[in-house]
Amino acid sequence: MAFHWGRGIAVFYSFFVCAVVIVLVKSTGFDNSLVTEEYYARDINYQQEYVRRNNSRQLGDAGPQVQCTSGTCRLSFPTAPGEPVSGSVLLYRPSSKQYDRHLSLKLDENDGMDLPLAGLPPGRYQAILEWSAAGTPYYDELEIYH
């Protein structure tokens, strides 16, 4: 049995078709969803987010902090006492959208808030804070390992 160019072309096309089928099968199992549903709207408003991030950087250590101990996390705002703080918190899980939680900031008398982690599986989360104090908007992202 002699190997000639006709068989070489047939073998090449057979491998090519198999490779295309494998790529198609693998690509259907890939999650290609966006990180956020409002990606384009967020991109358009990035200048506002940049200003908020800059305001947060200027606070330095006086900005919000998160401390986690044995299954509970506490968000604290070491700003000047008596300043009204308002805003929202997004507990964002990068690996799965179904565990994201949106919360309103409700600070107690110690300028802090306990984050409700009950029912959330262990893992990495980001606390994305969009808040304001004394009329100045801020934006912070804090890492949480639950």
Side-chain angles (χ1 to χ4, degrees), residues 15-108:
F15 281 124
F16 178 74
V17 168
C18 288
V20 168
V21 168
I22 289 171
V23 167
L24 286 174
V25 169
K26 293 261 186 197
S27 68
T28 59
F30 180 72
D31 180 23
N32 60 354
S33 60
L34 294 173
V35 174
T36 178
E37 296 293 328
E38 301 87 23
Y39 174 77
Y40 295 109
R42 186 173 176 194
D43 192 40
I44 289 171
N45 296 324
Y46 185 73
Q47 182 61 36
Q48 295 170 351
E49 184 179 316
Y50 180 78
V51 169
R52 289 177 167 187
R53 285 178 189 254
N54 245 0
N55 292 341
S56 292
R57 264 189 235 114
Q58 290 175 359
L59 287 177
D61 291 340
Q65 298 170 356
V66 67
Q67 296 172 336
C68 296
T69 56
S70 67
T72 61
C73 286
R74 178 146 178 91
L75 181 64
S76 60
F77 288 83
T79 56
E83 284 187 20
V85 174
S86 63
S88 64
V89 180
L90 168 63
L91 288 177
Y92 170 71
R93 172 120 182 193
S95 63
S96 178
K97 177 182 170 182
Q98 75 183 46
Y99 298 116
D100 293 354
R101 289 195 179 164
H102 293 273
L103 308 166
S104 295
L105 278 177
K106 296 176 184 161
L107 302 184
D108 56 18

